[in-house]
Amino acid sequence: EDSSSGLPEIDENDWYSQYVNGRQIIINGTPYSQETHGEAILVNLEDLAIADLNQAGVIFIDNSGVSEIKSLTANRFTAITGHPEGNVIIGRYRDSQPGLSFVNADGVAQQLSIERSVVLKNISISTDAASVFQNGRAASAVGLTLEDCTLSLNSTVATAVVLDNNASYSYADVTVNNCVIKINSENTELPSVFGFYKSSGFGSTDFTMTNSVVYAETSMRAYVINVSADYSDLNVSIADNTFNNIYTANGLIYGNSFNSLGVKNNLVYDAQSSRSFVYCTKSCQTSDISGNYLYSSWTADHAESVIKTPEGSNFNYPASPFTSDMDASAGYFPIDLTVVTNGAGADYDTKYWIQKN
């Protein structure tokens, strides 16, 4: 016990202990507690099965003593009952993420079909499939929240974290916060890390990406987001992120149409020849593109884009933005604050699972 208060001591590194001792865990602004979401469900990683992830409640995965990736046989998060947030899954210790992959009955890498909203915190997912998540079987718009997660896209063909391939229902919203996403640099098929292709629209909701890192170990072509369908109600906010060793001629941020587009305080590093940063082909009701730091020969926007980047972003900057202990193999790109003085890029103080000494 805490002798000064009479209350039990709580390990700040242990999300499960905080939850069962009455604390709230805030994920994407939503508080989760025993009072609002019921008793915690604790599952050991070595014993984990897909059925465990489909329980109604807040599920904690304990990976104590397990460093290997747990391969689960599954093809979907099935519909569940119990609370409207759908599946809520949290890695127990914030300095050590449980590693998951998903395969079918034959052991072949499998996309995970989302049929109810999913909230993931402090989880590492590695996949050789075409995407981590897809919504092709959803009977309604579903939400996806990824916070404090690591996503490794290992495929050498087109791949994505999120794929929207439902002709009738898109995602209700997608939020990516404080995540690290690695793309296989041998992928030659111009992957879209977040790809929205088929549905009729978002329904006036949001795609939000903050304080995250998307990278390849060596330079490659890729979109951060590719909105190739007409999503006139889609609001996109991409702020305070680091994009390393990825480029396209058509724009890292690419789309036909948006209701609003905010691209602010991002850091982009790639030493390739002239590249485009933002490209909107048809319409964008409002836009704010400012405070971005782009290293090497980047252009402010695509020549045919309906968005013309306002002042406030640094293009073609000559100095490397990272400190000398940068480690691409570990997804570690700490920012040299003597070079990047406008606050652009992701914060590594919040990424406890990859902290360097």
Side-chain angles (χ1 to χ4, degrees), residues 311-327:
E311 297 294 328
S313 293
N314 296 311
F315 292 93
N316 308 321
Y317 222 80
S320 173
F322 304 124
T323 59
S324 60
D325 57 344
M326 179 198 81
D327 184 354

PDB file of all heavy atoms in Angstrom, residues 311-327:
ATOM      1  N   GLU A 311       1.606  29.754 -47.225  1.00  0.00           N
ATOM      2  CA  GLU A 311       2.886  29.929 -46.555  1.00  0.00           C
ATOM      3  C   GLU A 311       2.879  29.232 -45.193  1.00  0.00           C
ATOM      4  O   GLU A 311       1.836  29.008 -44.598  1.00  0.00           O
ATOM      5  CB  GLU A 311       3.171  31.427 -46.358  1.00  0.00           C
ATOM      6  CG  GLU A 311       3.306  32.208 -47.650  1.00  0.00           C
ATOM      7  CD  GLU A 311       4.519  31.787 -48.451  1.00  0.00           C
ATOM      8  OE1 GLU A 311       5.524  31.411 -47.830  1.00  0.00           O
ATOM      9  OE2 GLU A 311       4.449  31.820 -49.691  1.00  0.00           O
ATOM     10  N   GLY A 312       4.063  28.888 -44.727  1.00  0.00           N
ATOM     11  CA  GLY A 312       4.150  28.334 -43.384  1.00  0.00           C
ATOM     12  C   GLY A 312       4.756  26.952 -43.316  1.00  0.00           C
ATOM     13  O   GLY A 312       4.976  26.421 -42.241  1.00  0.00           O
ATOM     14  N   SER A 313       5.030  26.336 -44.467  1.00  0.00           N
ATOM     15  CA  SER A 313       5.712  25.052 -44.495  1.00  0.00           C
ATOM     16  C   SER A 313       7.091  25.237 -45.102  1.00  0.00           C
ATOM     17  O   SER A 313       7.288  26.050 -45.996  1.00  0.00           O
ATOM     18  CB  SER A 313       4.910  24.026 -45.300  1.00  0.00           C
ATOM     19  OG  SER A 313       3.697  23.706 -44.656  1.00  0.00           O
ATOM     20  N   ASN A 314       8.068  24.462 -44.588  1.00  0.00           N
ATOM     21  CA  ASN A 314       9.448  24.554 -45.065  1.00  0.00           C
ATOM     22  C   ASN A 314       9.713  23.442 -46.072  1.00  0.00           C
ATOM     23  O   ASN A 314       9.764  22.267 -45.711  1.00  0.00           O
ATOM     24  CB  ASN A 314      10.418  24.435 -43.891  1.00  0.00           C
ATOM     25  CG  ASN A 314      10.284  25.573 -42.910  1.00  0.00           C
ATOM     26  OD1 ASN A 314      10.264  26.727 -43.315  1.00  0.00           O
ATOM     27  ND2 ASN A 314      10.182  25.268 -41.625  1.00  0.00           N
ATOM     28  N   PHE A 315       9.899  23.801 -47.325  1.00  0.00           N
ATOM     29  CA  PHE A 315      10.138  22.826 -48.370  1.00  0.00           C
ATOM     30  C   PHE A 315      11.609  22.881 -48.801  1.00  0.00           C
ATOM     31  O   PHE A 315      12.263  23.914 -48.724  1.00  0.00           O
ATOM     32  CB  PHE A 315       9.228  23.094 -49.571  1.00  0.00           C
ATOM     33  CG  PHE A 315       7.774  22.845 -49.274  1.00  0.00           C
ATOM     34  CD1 PHE A 315       6.957  23.876 -48.856  1.00  0.00           C
ATOM     35  CD2 PHE A 315       7.243  21.574 -49.377  1.00  0.00           C
ATOM     36  CE1 PHE A 315       5.625  23.651 -48.569  1.00  0.00           C
ATOM     37  CE2 PHE A 315       5.914  21.329 -49.084  1.00  0.00           C
ATOM     38  CZ  PHE A 315       5.094  22.368 -48.690  1.00  0.00           C
ATOM     39  N   ASN A 316      12.091  21.710 -49.275  1.00  0.00           N
ATOM     40  CA  ASN A 316      13.455  21.616 -49.799  1.00  0.00           C
ATOM     41  C   ASN A 316      14.491  22.023 -48.762  1.00  0.00           C
ATOM     42  O   ASN A 316      15.505  22.652 -49.074  1.00  0.00           O
ATOM     43  CB  ASN A 316      13.606  22.483 -51.061  1.00  0.00           C
ATOM     44  CG  ASN A 316      12.525  22.161 -52.077  1.00  0.00           C
ATOM     45  OD1 ASN A 316      12.164  21.006 -52.253  1.00  0.00           O
ATOM     46  ND2 ASN A 316      11.995  23.185 -52.719  1.00  0.00           N
ATOM     47  N   TYR A 317      14.242  21.674 -47.513  1.00  0.00           N
ATOM     48  CA  TYR A 317      15.160  22.052 -46.444  1.00  0.00           C
ATOM     49  C   TYR A 317      16.432  21.221 -46.535  1.00  0.00           C
ATOM     50  O   TYR A 317      16.374  20.019 -46.748  1.00  0.00           O
ATOM     51  CB  TYR A 317      14.481  21.861 -45.088  1.00  0.00           C
ATOM     52  CG  TYR A 317      14.761  22.976 -44.128  1.00  0.00           C
ATOM     53  CD1 TYR A 317      14.069  24.185 -44.206  1.00  0.00           C
ATOM     54  CD2 TYR A 317      15.736  22.840 -43.164  1.00  0.00           C
ATOM     55  CE1 TYR A 317      14.330  25.215 -43.326  1.00  0.00           C
ATOM     56  CE2 TYR A 317      16.007  23.868 -42.278  1.00  0.00           C
ATOM     57  CZ  TYR A 317      15.297  25.046 -42.357  1.00  0.00           C
ATOM     58  OH  TYR A 317      15.562  26.060 -41.490  1.00  0.00           O
ATOM     59  N   PRO A 318      17.600  21.810 -46.370  1.00  0.00           N
ATOM     60  CA  PRO A 318      18.848  21.094 -46.657  1.00  0.00           C
ATOM     61  C   PRO A 318      19.369  20.203 -45.535  1.00  0.00           C
ATOM     62  O   PRO A 318      20.169  19.313 -45.781  1.00  0.00           O
ATOM     63  CB  PRO A 318      19.835  22.238 -46.923  1.00  0.00           C
ATOM     64  CG  PRO A 318      19.327  23.360 -46.072  1.00  0.00           C
ATOM     65  CD  PRO A 318      17.831  23.247 -46.110  1.00  0.00           C
ATOM     66  N   ALA A 319      18.966  20.434 -44.301  1.00  0.00           N
ATOM     67  CA  ALA A 319      19.595  19.729 -43.183  1.00  0.00           C
ATOM     68  C   ALA A 319      18.782  18.516 -42.760  1.00  0.00           C
ATOM     69  O   ALA A 319      17.550  18.555 -42.741  1.00  0.00           O
ATOM     70  CB  ALA A 319      19.753  20.679 -41.999  1.00  0.00           C
ATOM     71  N   SER A 320      19.470  17.433 -42.410  1.00  0.00           N
ATOM     72  CA  SER A 320      18.783  16.246 -41.911  1.00  0.00           C
ATOM     73  C   SER A 320      18.066  16.582 -40.608  1.00  0.00           C
ATOM     74  O   SER A 320      18.629  17.235 -39.725  1.00  0.00           O
ATOM     75  CB  SER A 320      19.778  15.113 -41.664  1.00  0.00           C
ATOM     76  OG  SER A 320      19.147  14.028 -41.026  1.00  0.00           O
ATOM     77  N   PRO A 321      16.836  16.132 -40.429  1.00  0.00           N
ATOM     78  CA  PRO A 321      16.049  16.529 -39.261  1.00  0.00           C
ATOM     79  C   PRO A 321      16.229  15.641 -38.035  1.00  0.00           C
ATOM     80  O   PRO A 321      15.632  15.913 -36.999  1.00  0.00           O
ATOM     81  CB  PRO A 321      14.614  16.411 -39.778  1.00  0.00           C
ATOM     82  CG  PRO A 321      14.688  15.282 -40.759  1.00  0.00           C
ATOM     83  CD  PRO A 321      16.033  15.392 -41.411  1.00  0.00           C
ATOM     84  N   PHE A 322      17.049  14.576 -38.149  1.00  0.00           N
ATOM     85  CA  PHE A 322      17.125  13.601 -37.062  1.00  0.00           C
ATOM     86  C   PHE A 322      18.438  13.708 -36.298  1.00  0.00           C
ATOM     87  O   PHE A 322      19.452  14.150 -36.827  1.00  0.00           O
ATOM     88  CB  PHE A 322      16.974  12.186 -37.607  1.00  0.00           C
ATOM     89  CG  PHE A 322      15.720  11.974 -38.395  1.00  0.00           C
ATOM     90  CD1 PHE A 322      15.765  11.513 -39.708  1.00  0.00           C
ATOM     91  CD2 PHE A 322      14.477  12.242 -37.839  1.00  0.00           C
ATOM     92  CE1 PHE A 322      14.616  11.330 -40.443  1.00  0.00           C
ATOM     93  CE2 PHE A 322      13.318  12.057 -38.561  1.00  0.00           C
ATOM     94  CZ  PHE A 322      13.382  11.602 -39.870  1.00  0.00           C
ATOM     95  N   THR A 323      18.404  13.271 -35.048  1.00  0.00           N
ATOM     96  CA  THR A 323      19.613  13.242 -34.228  1.00  0.00           C
ATOM     97  C   THR A 323      20.491  12.066 -34.633  1.00  0.00           C
ATOM     98  O   THR A 323      20.062  11.162 -35.355  1.00  0.00           O
ATOM     99  CB  THR A 323      19.256  13.140 -32.737  1.00  0.00           C
ATOM    100  OG1 THR A 323      18.500  11.949 -32.525  1.00  0.00           O
ATOM    101  CG2 THR A 323      18.442  14.349 -32.290  1.00  0.00           C
ATOM    102  N   SER A 324      21.728  12.051 -34.132  1.00  0.00           N
ATOM    103  CA  SER A 324      22.712  11.059 -34.568  1.00  0.00           C
ATOM    104  C   SER A 324      22.380   9.642 -34.124  1.00  0.00           C
ATOM    105  O   SER A 324      22.899   8.675 -34.696  1.00  0.00           O
ATOM    106  CB  SER A 324      24.100  11.443 -34.042  1.00  0.00           C
ATOM    107  OG  SER A 324      24.092  11.503 -32.627  1.00  0.00           O
ATOM    108  N   ASP A 325      21.506   9.471 -33.130  1.00  0.00           N
ATOM    109  CA  ASP A 325      21.156   8.128 -32.679  1.00  0.00           C
ATOM    110  C   ASP A 325      19.914   7.580 -33.377  1.00  0.00           C
ATOM    111  O   ASP A 325      19.339   6.572 -32.937  1.00  0.00           O
ATOM    112  CB  ASP A 325      20.969   8.084 -31.162  1.00  0.00           C
ATOM    113  CG  ASP A 325      19.908   9.060 -30.665  1.00  0.00           C
ATOM    114  OD1 ASP A 325      19.537   9.968 -31.425  1.00  0.00           O
ATOM    115  OD2 ASP A 325      19.489   8.916 -29.506  1.00  0.00           O
ATOM    116  N   MET A 326      19.503   8.172 -34.481  1.00  0.00           N
ATOM    117  CA  MET A 326      18.425   7.638 -35.297  1.00  0.00           C
ATOM    118  C   MET A 326      18.692   6.179 -35.637  1.00  0.00           C
ATOM    119  O   MET A 326      19.821   5.797 -35.958  1.00  0.00           O
ATOM    120  CB  MET A 326      18.293   8.444 -36.581  1.00  0.00           C
ATOM    121  CG  MET A 326      17.208   7.948 -37.524  1.00  0.00           C
ATOM    122  SD  MET A 326      17.403   8.551 -39.215  1.00  0.00           S
ATOM    123  CE  MET A 326      18.639   7.406 -39.825  1.00  0.00           C
ATOM    124  N   ASP A 327      17.670   5.343 -35.582  1.00  0.00           N
ATOM    125  CA  ASP A 327      17.821   3.915 -35.869  1.00  0.00           C
ATOM    126  C   ASP A 327      16.623   3.461 -36.697  1.00  0.00           C
ATOM    127  O   ASP A 327      15.555   3.172 -36.173  1.00  0.00           O
ATOM    128  CB  ASP A 327      17.906   3.125 -34.561  1.00  0.00           C
ATOM    129  CG  ASP A 327      18.164   1.642 -34.787  1.00  0.00           C
ATOM    130  OD1 ASP A 327      18.160   1.201 -35.952  1.00  0.00           O
ATOM    131  OD2 ASP A 327      18.361   0.922 -33.783  1.00  0.00           O
TER     132      ASP A 327
END
